Amino acid sequence: MRFTGTSVLAALALAGCATAPSEVASAPAPVAAPAPMGGKAPAPDPMRWTYGSGEAAAASIQAWRLIADYTISVSRQRRLPQSVPLGLPDTPGGLGTPSCQREDGTQKPFAAVFDVDETVILNRGYEYWLSLGNDFTPEAFMKWANEGAAYAVPVPGAVTGIRRLREAGIAVLFNTNRPSATAAGTIAAIEKAGVGPAVHGETLYLSGDDALGGNKDGRRKIISDSYCVIALGGDNLGDFAELLNDRTLSVQQRRELAARGDIAQLWGNGWFLIPNAAYGFWQKGTIDDVFPPDARWTPDTLVRTAPDIMNEGK
C-alpha cells in the first residue's frame, strides 16, 4: 500500500500552484546535485530486503501458504460461517464482525480480501526509480499505476495462494488505496502479475469508491454487505482496520495495539501480514520513540536481574 487517496489529491493540488514571477527573481540559484551513481550505488537496505532477498521471498511464500491453508479450512467447516473482524466505519472500537447471512437468511459467499501493492504485486519498477534518488510524487506514482503494468511481478507465493483460494470456491477481492482513476492500469498490473482477474466495483475497490476516500473501512463495509469475509491480507496495518493507523498513536502505542489483546489473536487467524520493509505507515519515529527507556542499553548499563517477558494475551 503506497499512499492514501486524500493525500494524493492534496499533493496534486499543491503541485498545480503557480510560482509568482517575483518569487522566481528573488530565489537563490539552485545548487547542482551530485551526479547519481546509477545502478552501481548501494541499494537502500529496505529495498534490498523487500525486492532482492531470499528471506523476503521465503517469508512471503510462507505467508501465502498459511493464508490458503487457513482460509480453505474455514470454508469447509460445518458450523455456521462467521466473518473475521474487520475495520468498519461508525463501529464501536473500530472493529466489527458482520453477519455472514443476508436478511433473507441465505448465506453470503466466502471471500478473502487483499491489498494490492506489495501484497499481491511488487512495485519493483517504481521502487527502482526511487532508488536512483528520485522523490515520491503523486504524479509519478499515478503514471506508474496507469502505465507500469508491463513491469508488474507477483509477490512470491501470491499466484499459487490465490489460485488455491479460487479453486476452493472462495472469491478473491482487492481493496487498494490506489485512486479510482487508476482502475484500468491497476487491473492490467494485477492480470500481468498472474493474480487476476479483477473487475472494478465487483472484485476491485479503489480510493474514491466510497465516501471515506483513502480510508479502507468504508470499502470493507461495502464488501462485507455482499460477502462473508473469512480472511484479510495486507502489508500495512491499515489493510485490516483504520484504527491501527490512528495518527494520534505514538510509535509504541501503535505497536502495543497490534501486539496485545484481542487484535494479537487475529494474526494468522484470519488476518495475514505480508512482509514489506520498503515503505509503510510505520515510517516514523525518533530513536527515543523506537527505543523506550527500558531498551536503552549501553556498555555501562547496570545488569538487569529479571528480563521482561512479553505476554501477547494481555
Side-chain angles (χ1 to χ4, degrees):
M1 181 172 64
R2 166 54 70 181
F3 56 80
T4 65
T6 51
S7 65
V8 168
L9 293 175
L12 284 173
L14 290 173
C17 295
T19 302
S22 60
E23 295 173 336
V24 174
S26 62
V31 177
M37 296 174 64
K40 299 302 182 183
D45 278 347
M47 293 186 184
R48 286 175 173 172
W49 195 88
T50 302
Y51 303 108
S53 77
E55 288 84 352
S60 294
I61 292 169
Q62 175 178 266
W64 274 102
R65 179 170 289 120
L66 291 173
I67 290 170
D69 288 348
Y70 170 88
T71 310
I72 292 170
S73 174
V74 169
S75 73
R76 292 174 176 171
Q77 291 177 355
R78 294 178 179 271
R79 63 181 178 84
L80 186 67
Q82 185 175 13
S83 168
V84 69
L86 309 171
L88 297 173
D90 303 322
T91 303
L95 283 177
T97 304
S99 173
C100 283
Q101 286 188 315
R102 302 184 184 93
E103 292 184 359
D104 62 5
T106 60
Q107 181 179 321
K108 300 174 185 175
F110 290 124
V113 181
F114 303 106
D115 176 48
V116 172
D117 297 311
E118 274 59 57
T119 296
V120 297
I121 64 173
L122 291 175
N123 289 293
R124 291 190 311 177
Y126 180 72
E127 297 297 321
Y128 163 75
W129 183 75
L130 291 180
S131 75
L132 298 178
N134 296 295
D135 293 329
F136 167 80
T137 66
E139 298 91 343
F141 191 84
M142 290 285 284
K143 187 174 181 65
W144 163 255
N146 282 320
E147 302 175 10
Y151 294 87
V153 294
V155 167
V159 172
T160 299
I162 287 176
R163 174 181 55 78
R164 289 181 60 198
L165 294 174
R166 288 179 172 139
E167 288 177 350
I170 299 163
V172 173
L173 281 71
F174 304 105
N175 185 6
T176 171
N177 274 341
R178 290 189 178 201
S180 56
T182 69
T186 300
I187 290 170
I190 289 171
E191 294 183 348
K192 163 63 171 57
V195 291
V199 179
H200 186 204
E202 295 181 15
T203 57
L204 171 64
Y205 293 87
L206 301 108
S207 179
D209 288 348
D210 70 289
L212 297 181
N215 184 329
K216 290 188 175 183
D217 283 357
R219 280 167 268 149
R220 279 186 277 266
K221 174 65 168 60
I222 293 172
I223 291 168
S224 65
D225 284 344
S226 298
Y227 289 92
C228 177
V229 180
I230 53 176
L232 289 174
D235 65 305
N236 187 282
L237 298 186
D239 297 327
F240 305 91
E242 192 63 26
L243 71 97
L244 295 168
N245 277 355
D246 184 344
R247 295 183 182 278
T248 66
L249 295 174
S250 69
V251 169
Q252 291 300 325
Q253 286 173 333
R254 182 173 183 262
R255 183 179 174 90
E256 290 287 308
L257 184 59
R260 305 274 184 165
D262 293 340
I263 289 177
Q265 311 309 315
L266 292 170
W267 303 116
N269 191 30
W271 287 12
F272 297 88
L273 192 76
I274 308 299
N276 174 15
Y279 64 86
F281 194 89
W282 50 268
Q283 289 179 290
K284 62 179 180 178
T286 64
I287 291 175
D288 284 350
D289 291 333
V290 173
F291 297 98
D294 63 354
R296 297 171 192 170
W297 179 89
T298 73
D300 299 322
T301 302
L302 294 176
V303 176
R304 299 178 67 181
T305 57
D308 293 332
I309 298 174
M310 184 172 187
N311 185 346
E312 291 87 350
K314 292 184 179 179

